[in-house]
Amino acid sequence: TSVWPEISWIVESNENSLNLKLNKYLGQIESLLGVTYNAETNIAPPVPIEAAGARYGSLFLGYKKASEQVSDMVATNSSRVDTVHVVLTVFVIIVMLLISALVVVPLWYRLMSEHRRLKSAHVKLYSIAYTDKQTELPNLDGLEKKLPELVTFKDAEAEFYLLLIRIRNLDQIYNLIGSSSMDALLQAFTARLEKFDAIEAPWCRSGESEFCCLLTEAIIQDSDNWVHKIHQHLTERLTINGIIVRTEVSLAASRMDKTELLRTNLLSDHLSSARLASAQFKPPEQWLPQFHPDMNNALTDQNNLIEQIAEGLAQNQFVPFYQIKVDAQTGKHSSLEVLARWKRTETTFESPGVFIPVAENSGLIVAMTFSIFEQVLEDIKGWCADGSPVGRVAINIAQDVLLHNELTPRLQNMLDHLPVLCDGLEIEITENIAIADNFDRTCAILTDIRKMGIHVSIDDFGTGYASLQTLIDLPFDVLKVDRAFVIPMTESGAGNEVVSAMISLSNTLGKSCVIEGVETAWQWRSLADMGADQLQGFYFHKPAKASEIKKSIDFRDDHRFAA
């Protein structure tokens, strides 16, 4: 078929085609025979068939000759067609190769480049979705994704626990070192976690201040041997960009039912449970609390209490009560301590133990304290307007309040508006606040407060863990001995030595000493003999509202030594 176009060209078009040759040949035969075709009669003269068609006759030889010529021409042109076909085939191949080089190859390269880019983007998105950027640990979703690998067939019958470790003072550390150093802190904390040999399970960062891992029941049952060690390991002091900090942590665990190990959101649910249990972690006891369903009820009660406290703040239900401090030698009123009360009704007042811990944990303590500041200032103005000498007024400060940026401006505002009959202000902080991780910042704040002319008192002394060196370095004016050391005192002398030593320590440091919890005349006499400066307790006066305390302020020599 490839040769046919060439043959058609030879037969029909070319001047040497077969039709022309045959016509020419027929004309020659007519001439040889001497006959002419008669067009009018349409009758050709008879031609002897023998002369034309016999073997080697003129017609036979003519057609043979024409056939041979045609065969020669076909052979010649077939060779040419083959050559053209080969050339065209090579040309087509070259063109296809050029097209491939110019189009397909760049397209393939672009396709592979896009594939690599998409693969890299997938890896990056996976890292973002399942890895914590600051610590490079898996996040909670990342740990849950690895859960089938962690829970192997061999461990299918074992009980698993989610262990939670929370950094309780991360906000205070943030205020101390700043955001630029938080990554370094978290990385250092992560390194400590991973170096703790007793727990080899992979850790994840499950929240801003939370880390967790999956442990088997055997490790949990051995917790008495490692909880104290990991607590001590994680609370050792760190130096972050030249600033010394110490992380305070709490631990808790939540047991996971083996039938639900592959359930969606399993770890998230147990993380919430472990958070509830972590509130039960009480160093230095350092036992590992585990979640129990009853804790949900406690959480509900606490959430309800938080809502009630917030509503109480909005309605100004938190009011100051006052307790008198007396001079240990004369029994005369010398100063006042402010104690917050929750006024539920006109006659019902809740003590601080009910709401202060919840207010501190929920962050409401700051607003509550500043509200007390305003009311105390108004009470002082009212007393002094009536000519009542108030003495110095002490207000208890929680750690969040002490570190709050608004504290010193609020105190300065109170100082600016204090009447002259008031001897000034005093703030009381607990011993544990004084030795918290941000010790340097605490010292700086207390120093600034003392420069304002406000006294600083260390409350509940003896119940915390302050060292003698800490007391030497800490800027304060008054040491308050907790009532827990007064209760054991007896007339036989048992328990008296500890209180006497605390008073001596206070005198040695050049600080004023206040003893709380005085309930008998004998305690008053004994503590005065030991050298105490001020006394406070139910023997002298119970906490009372501003209107009630005014009577005792006016009658300053209300107390005398019992006979």
Side-chain angles (χ1 to χ4, degrees):
T1 57
S2 61
V3 181
W4 170 248
E6 190 66 25
I7 295 176
S8 299
W9 178 74
I10 294 172
V11 173
E12 298 174 359
S13 303
N14 193 277
E15 61 182 0
N16 295 319
S17 66
L18 179 60
N19 288 338
L20 293 176
K21 288 183 180 293
L22 290 178
N23 290 332
K24 183 178 180 181
Y25 184 66
L26 288 175
Q28 291 176 351
I29 292 176
E30 290 178 355
S31 178
L32 289 173
L33 295 177
V35 297
T36 304
Y37 173 71
N38 189 343
E40 295 180 358
T41 62
N42 196 25
I43 298 174
V47 179
I49 193 64
E50 293 83 0
R55 186 174 182 79
Y56 300 112
S58 59
L59 186 59
F60 174 83
L61 293 174
Y63 272 100
K64 181 179 181 182
K65 183 177 179 181
S67 177
E68 290 175 352
Q69 291 179 349
V70 169
S71 297
D72 292 341
M73 294 178 69
V74 168
T76 301
N77 285 281
S78 295
S79 176
R80 191 178 72 179
V81 169
D82 291 340
T83 302
V84 172
H85 184 266
V86 171
V87 172
L88 288 175
T89 301
V90 173
F91 176 76
V92 169
I93 293 173
I94 293 174
V95 170
M96 292 181 66
L97 291 174
L98 289 175
I99 292 174
S100 298
L102 296 176
V103 178
V104 177
V105 171
L107 185 62
W108 175 257
Y109 177 80
R110 179 68 178 273
L111 181 64
M112 295 303 296
S113 177
E114 287 296 312
H115 174 73
R116 289 190 296 269
R117 187 182 68 82
L118 290 175
K119 186 176 180 180
S120 175
H122 175 76
V123 172
K124 186 175 181 179
L125 288 174
Y126 184 93
S127 176
I128 293 174
Y130 297 110
T131 305
D132 176 65
K133 181 179 179 181
Q134 292 174 297
T135 62
E136 297 184 356
L137 291 175
N139 56 24
L140 192 64
D141 291 335
L143 182 62
E144 190 153 15
K145 193 172 184 65
K146 293 182 178 181
L147 194 59
E149 302 175 15
L150 299 175
V151 183
T152 62
F153 178 79
K154 181 178 63 175
D155 297 327
E157 297 301 321
E159 295 286 354
F160 285 87
Y161 289 76
L162 184 71
L163 175 68
L164 171 69
I165 293 181
R166 302 183 69 182
I167 304 177
R168 297 184 299 177
N169 61 334
L170 192 63
D171 289 342
Q172 288 80 6
I173 295 176
Y174 175 87
N175 293 331
L176 180 63
I177 66 177
S179 58
S180 60
S181 300
M182 286 302 293
D183 286 356
L185 171 74
L186 292 171
Q187 289 162 9
F189 188 84
T190 299
R192 285 188 171 180
L193 280 177
E194 294 178 331
K195 289 179 181 178
F196 188 68
D197 297 334
I199 298 178
E200 297 180 354
W203 290 95
C204 85
R205 188 183 180 199
S206 53
E208 183 179 7
S209 60
E210 297 175 343
F211 298 80
C212 65
C213 68
L214 206 62
L215 299 180
T216 61
E217 185 176 18
I219 298 178
I220 291 293
Q221 289 178 346
D222 191 44
S223 61
D224 290 344
N225 294 326
W226 57 262
V227 168
H228 174 74
K229 294 178 182 177
I230 193 171
H231 181 268
Q232 186 177 20
H233 179 65
L234 296 177
T235 54
E236 292 179 357
R237 293 193 174 187
L238 288 167
T239 302
I240 306 297
N241 294 335
I243 301 175
I244 298 176
V245 298
R246 189 180 66 175
T247 54
E248 287 295 336
V249 301
S250 59
L251 288 77
S254 177
R255 186 179 68 85
M256 298 189 294
D257 193 325
K258 58 188 177 185
T259 61
E260 61 174 2
L261 287 177
L262 300 181
R263 176 172 62 83
T264 305
N265 296 327
L266 170 69
L267 297 184
S268 179
D269 293 343
H270 283 281
L271 179 61
S272 299
S273 299
R275 286 170 180 161
L276 288 177
S278 67
Q280 307 297 322
F281 186 81
K282 305 291 183 183
E285 298 173 4
Q286 298 168 348
W287 58 280
L288 183 65
Q290 297 184 25
F291 172 76
H292 189 274
D294 290 343
M295 293 179 181
N296 281 323
N297 298 330
L299 177 64
T300 301
D301 294 341
Q302 182 174 355
N303 288 337
N304 292 336
L305 185 57
I306 290 173
E307 293 180 3
Q308 294 171 13
I309 291 174
E311 184 177 354
L313 282 171
Q315 298 178 4
N316 295 320
Q317 293 179 355
F318 294 92
V319 298
F321 270 43
Y322 301 88
Q323 188 172 25
I324 288 177
K325 300 178 188 176
V326 302
D327 183 273
Q329 301 301 322
T330 65
K332 291 183 179 181
H333 157 250
S334 58
S335 61
L336 296 173
E337 179 181 359
V338 179
L339 304 169
R341 292 292 186 270
W342 186 359
K343 186 179 180 182
R344 292 286 194 126
T345 67
E346 288 299 324
T347 58
T348 304
F349 294 88
E350 296 282 3
S351 64
V354 174
F355 59 88
I356 289 296
V358 178
E360 289 180 347
N361 293 334
S362 62
L364 296 173
I365 190 65
V366 176
M368 184 182 297
T369 303
F370 291 161
S371 174
I372 294 294
F373 278 9
E374 296 174 359
Q375 296 178 67
V376 168
L377 180 59
E378 293 303 316
D379 289 339
I380 293 174
K381 288 180 179 179
W383 293 327
C384 293
D386 294 338
S388 301
V390 178
R392 195 163 58 239
V393 179
I395 306 176
N396 289 278
I397 301 294
Q399 185 175 25
D400 288 348
V401 179
L402 180 66
L403 300 177
H404 200 279
N405 293 332
E406 283 292 314
L407 175 62
T408 51
R410 297 265 184 169
L411 291 174
Q412 186 61 56
N413 177 69
M414 292 185 70
L415 289 175
D416 294 341
H417 294 85
L418 280 181
V420 294
L421 290 178
C422 178
D423 291 342
L425 299 177
E426 178 179 313
I427 66 165
E428 295 186 8
I429 61 172
T430 64
E431 183 180 356
N432 287 336
I433 294 177
I435 61 172
D437 301 323
N438 37 20
F439 181 77
D440 292 339
R441 187 181 178 203
T442 298
C443 289
I445 294 173
L446 296 179
T447 299
D448 291 340
I449 289 175
R450 294 180 75 202
K451 288 179 180 179
M452 296 166 62
I454 299 175
H455 286 223
V456 175
S457 174
I458 304 300
D459 198 7
D460 299 336
F461 178 69
T463 61
Y465 307 98
S467 65
L468 181 59
Q469 184 61 50
T470 301
L471 290 177
I472 294 174
D473 296 337
L474 194 67
F476 71 99
D477 305 282
V478 180
L479 198 64
K480 292 189 69 176
V481 177
D482 190 79
R483 64 186 301 271
F485 298 97
V486 177
I487 295 174
M489 291 178 58
T490 64
E491 295 187 22
S492 63
N496 298 5
E497 295 82 0
V498 174
V499 178
S500 179
M502 290 181 175
I503 295 174
S504 297
L505 174 62
S506 176
N507 295 333
T508 301
L509 294 175
K511 312 298 181 182
S512 176
C513 183
V514 178
I515 310 295
E516 298 179 297
V518 179
E519 297 183 359
T520 67
W522 176 84
Q523 290 175 338
W524 172 15
R525 185 168 54 248
S526 299
L527 294 169
D529 292 341
M530 292 179 188
D533 297 297
Q534 289 182 303
L535 304 177
Q536 181 179 352
F538 284 5
Y539 178 78
F540 303 105
H541 208 288
K542 294 182 180 180
K545 294 183 292 185
S547 58
E548 297 175 358
I549 207 73
K550 182 178 183 301
K551 300 175 183 178
S552 298
I553 295 176
D554 291 337
F555 192 50
R556 297 175 64 91
D557 56 348
D558 190 22
H559 304 283
R560 292 287 186 271
F561 280 121

